[in-house]
Amino acid sequence: MKLSQTTIGPFTLYSIEAGRFRLDGGAMFGVVPKTLWGRQMDVDDKNRIHMAMRCLLIESHNTGKLYLVDNGSGTKFDEKFENIYQLDYSDYDLLSSLEEHGFSPEDITDIIFSHLHFDHCGGTTYYDDDGNLRHTFPNATYHVTEKQLETATNPNAREKASFLADNIDPIKNWDKLNIVGPNHQYEEGLDALPVNGHTLGQQLPRITGDEKAIVFAADLIPTHVHLPLPWVMGYDMYPVTTLEEKENYLDQAVENNWHLFLEHDADQEMVTVKKEKGKFSVDQKLTLSQLTN
C-alpha cells in the first residue's frame, strides 16, 4: 500500500497511516442494530471492527509550515491494552509514514489536534529506553481548542477512559501550546470547523484551494458507513448534538462538493457525499492522489 498525496492551492497534503486497531462494533454504531451495520462491516470473534488511525500532513507553501493533524495512539501501552485494542503497526506507523513522504518528526512545525482521545493524540509522546516521557515532535506548536483542553483535563466519568494522563499532561504543560477558539483560522485556506457532539471542542480542519475543499472528518464521521444521520457512535457524549452537526455539515458537503478525509475508515481514505430523498450516502470513493487526477 503506497501512501497518497495531492496539492490544492498553496498546500501539499499527505496521508499518514499511524497504525490500525479494533473497537467494539456496537459501540461504534450506538443504537443501530448489528443486523444493519454488520452488512457493511466485518467483525472478529469479539465483535470488534477494523479501524484506521489515518492522519493528515499539510505542507503550506505560503508560510513554510508543516502541520500534522492528529497522530494516532502512539506506543505507550502495556500488553493488556494492546490486546484489547489489537494495535497493529505491521504495515505503517506514524514515523514510517512520515519517512515515506520524506519528513522527520523534527520537521513538524505544528500539530492540530482534532481532540485528545487516546487514538488521536497518543503519538505526541513516547517513552525512551530509560523510561522517560519524551515529545515526538520537539519543534512543534500544539493547537487544541479551549473547550477540549478543559474537557480532557476535567473529564466526566463516562469519557475519562479516553483521556490518559501520559497523553494529556505533556500537552497541557508544553511551552508551545496554543489554545484556540472555535472556527480558528490557522492561515488563509486552512481553518477549522467546530464540533461538540462527540466531545466538547472537537475541531475539523478544512483545507481550501483551487475551488476544492478537503475536510478532516475526525470523529464526526469516522467511516463512510457512518454517513446516515442516525448512525451515531455510542462513544458520543451528546448524540443529539452530533445529529444536528452531521446534518449541517453534510448539507454543506453536498452543496460545496467537500471531500471528507476519513480518519478511522479501514478501507476508504476519502469520500464525497450526495443527498437523495433526504438521505445522505457516498457519491465517490477516492484517495488524495486520485483527487489530483
Side-chain angles (χ1 to χ4, degrees):
M1 178 181 66
K2 183 175 175 60
L3 299 175
S4 63
Q5 67 183 75
T6 193
T7 298
I8 63 171
F11 303 101
T12 300
L13 311 181
Y14 307 87
S15 65
I16 300 293
E17 293 280 352
R20 299 296 174 104
F21 70 126
R22 289 183 180 271
L23 284 179
D24 182 81
M28 282 300 298
F29 290 96
V31 300
V32 180
K34 185 179 179 181
T35 52
L36 295 180
W37 62 259
R39 299 171 187 170
Q40 302 183 64
M41 288 288 198
D42 293 329
V43 299
D44 66 8
D45 58 358
K46 295 182 180 178
N47 205 47
R48 297 173 300 186
I49 64 173
H50 198 202
M51 304 269 287
M53 291 181 284
R54 184 177 297 110
C55 312
L56 184 63
L57 188 64
I58 306 169
E59 183 180 15
S60 171
H61 302 293
N62 280 343
T63 64
K65 290 187 175 183
L66 194 62
Y67 302 88
L68 179 63
V69 183
D70 288 351
N71 53 47
S73 63
T75 58
K76 303 187 299 293
F77 301 123
D78 58 24
E79 185 177 354
K80 179 180 178 181
F81 194 98
E82 290 186 2
N83 287 334
I84 290 172
Y85 293 102
Q86 288 292 288
L87 296 171
D88 179 7
Y89 305 109
S90 57
D91 289 330
Y92 282 107
D93 60 21
L94 180 62
L95 299 186
S96 66
S97 289
L98 288 171
E99 184 179 3
E100 180 167 316
H101 287 305
F103 299 105
S104 72
E106 291 77 15
D107 296 326
I108 306 301
T109 63
D110 297 80
I111 297 179
I112 300 174
F113 295 107
S114 66
H115 59 298
L116 299 177
H117 287 168
F118 76 86
D119 52 318
H120 296 259
C121 73
T124 307
T125 50
Y126 66 97
Y127 286 112
D128 66 16
D129 293 339
D130 297 321
N132 298 310
L133 199 59
R134 302 291 188 185
H135 287 261
T136 309
F137 308 97
N139 302 315
T141 297
Y142 299 165
H143 304 278
V144 63
T145 70
E146 183 176 14
K147 276 187 178 181
Q148 177 61 187
L149 189 61
E150 291 174 354
T151 299
T153 305
N154 300 289
N156 60 52
R158 186 163 176 259
E159 201 170 7
K160 187 176 182 179
S162 294
F163 294 122
L164 307 180
D166 59 358
N167 288 339
I168 305 304
D169 290 346
I171 292 172
K172 74 177 183 182
N173 295 323
W174 187 233
D175 59 359
K176 294 188 284 287
L177 175 64
N178 181 38
I179 300 173
V180 303
N183 298 107
H184 183 72
Q185 184 169 29
Y186 290 93
E187 63 177 84
E188 185 175 354
L190 174 58
D191 63 355
L193 306 173
V195 199
N196 294 292
H198 177 62
T199 182
L200 292 177
Q202 186 179 193
Q203 57 176 335
L204 311 183
R206 174 176 58 180
I207 306 98
T208 57
D210 300 331
E211 299 183 349
K212 298 185 181 76
I214 294 177
V215 175
F216 187 88
D219 278 354
L220 176 65
I221 305 169
T223 77
H224 75 283
V225 181
H226 286 86
L227 281 181
L229 291 180
W231 293 44
V232 172
M233 290 188 289
Y235 294 113
D236 287 9
M237 293 299 103
Y238 310 97
V240 174
T241 300
T242 296
L243 280 171
E244 296 168 350
E245 291 169 340
K246 280 180 69 175
E247 184 168 24
N248 175 29
Y249 286 133
L250 287 175
D251 274 331
Q252 292 187 57
V254 172
E255 181 178 353
N256 300 306
N257 194 34
W258 288 354
H259 293 74
L260 302 181
F261 189 87
L262 303 174
E263 187 164 13
H264 287 315
D265 198 307
D267 301 310
Q268 302 301 327
E269 182 172 290
M270 192 164 59
V271 297
T272 58
V273 184
K274 61 184 177 181
K275 187 177 185 181
E276 297 174 332
K277 298 180 179 179
K279 295 183 178 181
F280 297 101
S281 61
V282 172
D283 186 14
Q284 292 180 298
K285 298 177 181 178
L286 66 167
T287 66
L288 290 176
S289 297
Q290 289 170 329
L291 180 63
T292 301
N293 298 330

